[in-house]
Amino acid sequence: MSTAAVPELKQISRVEAMRLGPGWSHSCHAMLYAANPGQLFGRIPMRFSVLMQMRFDGLLGFPGGFVDRRFWSLEDGLNRVLGLGLGCLRLTEADYLSSHLTEGPHRVVAHLYARQLTLEQLHAVEISAVHSRDHGLEVLGLVRVPLYTQKDRVGGFPNFLSNAFVSTAKCQLLFALKVLNMMPEEKLAEALAAATEKQKKALEKLLPASS
């Protein structure tokens, strides 16, 4: 199977992001993850557990949202949103990972924070999220990203990448897995290629046969 290049957005530094004018909006999201020694079916290494969430619009994304820089610092704004959707976690500037400029008509700089937890702490976040204010409303539930590929080369991570993601979430996920050394870049590319091929075949089935 051929590989696909891992998509990348234009990355800028935090300092550069803070210098952007009032015409730019800032979104802040958090990737929470933990090493996972478990094995699926007793033979497929889980490696890591990464949390994402199903949003109210049917798209997958990371916990977080837009931050109004007139009233909040990036971290204070992020923690305010996390409190509504997760209920029990506060991140700091030490958890900052990256800033990327988004493509399209809207001028948005997307900030990503990442914190490694223990598996027990991650599970506690999942439990707390069910009791948060936004659960069942803006947040329909947390999901763990399957960071493995089954023998059919589609099950697991490739299937997950076939889902619909909000804005920069998919690129941020791939970027974080790469820079945090959670998955080799060639494995990311292989999973992305398998997901793209699956989506292509699904579309071909929907299109009427040519005469």
Side-chain angles (χ1 to χ4, degrees), residues 1 4 11-13 17 24 26 28 63 72-73 76 116 121 128 136-137 149 158 170 182 185 191 199 204 206:
M1 178 182 295
Q11 186 177 3
I12 61 174
S13 69
W24 286 85
H26 294 259
C28 294
W72 306 94
S73 69
D76 286 343
Q116 182 170 3
Q121 289 171 329
S128 176
L137 298 170
T149 300
K170 186 174 182 177
M182 297 170 67
E185 187 171 4
Q199 291 170 324
E204 289 173 347
L206 293 175

Side-chain angles (χ1 to χ4, degrees), residues 19-209:
R19 290 174 180 168
L20 294 174
W24 286 85
S25 297
H26 294 259
S27 69
C28 294
H29 293 84
M31 188 181 96
L32 307 177
Y33 66 101
N36 189 338
Q39 291 189 330
L40 179 65
F41 307 130
R43 55 184 174 79
I44 302 176
M46 304 292 287
R47 303 178 60 248
F48 290 95
S49 290
V50 175
L51 293 186
M52 296 190 77
Q53 64 185 19
M54 177 60 69
R55 294 160 36 99
F56 63 94
D57 51 11
L59 301 176
L60 288 167
F62 288 109
F66 281 97
V67 172
D68 192 333
R69 290 278 294 129
R70 295 174 300 172
F71 307 110
W72 306 94
S73 69
L74 294 180
E75 291 75 31
D76 286 343
L78 172 61
N79 286 321
R80 177 176 176 273
V81 179
L82 292 181
L84 300 177
L86 298 181
C88 65
L89 193 72
R90 290 191 62 82
L91 300 187
T92 69
E93 187 174 339
D95 299 305
Y96 169 82
L97 184 64
S98 64
S99 298
H100 290 89
L101 300 181
T102 64
E103 299 176 347
H106 303 293
R107 306 176 77 188
V108 178
V109 54
H111 307 280
L112 183 64
Y113 292 72
R115 177 179 290 183
Q116 182 170 3
L117 307 174
T118 66
L119 200 55
E120 292 74 17
Q121 289 171 329
L122 196 79
H123 184 54
V125 170
E126 292 173 315
I127 295 174
S128 176
V130 176
H131 303 286
S132 68
R133 195 196 76 172
D134 282 349
H135 181 74
L137 298 170
E138 293 187 25
V139 180
L140 302 183
L142 294 176
V143 297
R144 294 190 183 190
V145 182
L147 295 181
Y148 51 81
T149 300
Q150 295 176 260
K151 287 184 177 181
D152 63 1
R153 292 187 167 184
V154 178
F157 194 46
N159 271 341
F160 185 83
L161 292 178
S162 299
N163 289 297
F165 294 78
V166 65
S167 186
T168 60
K170 186 174 182 177
C171 288
Q172 287 179 317
L173 172 63
L174 296 171
F175 173 84
L177 294 177
K178 174 184 173 182
V179 300
L180 294 175
N181 297 315
M182 297 170 67
M183 184 178 293
E185 187 171 4
E186 61 270 18
K187 294 297 183 182
L188 290 172
E190 288 174 3
L192 188 61
T196 301
E197 183 65 20
K198 177 187 175 181
Q199 291 170 324
K200 179 182 176 181
K201 289 180 178 179
L203 182 59
E204 289 173 347
K205 289 181 180 180
L206 293 175
L207 295 175

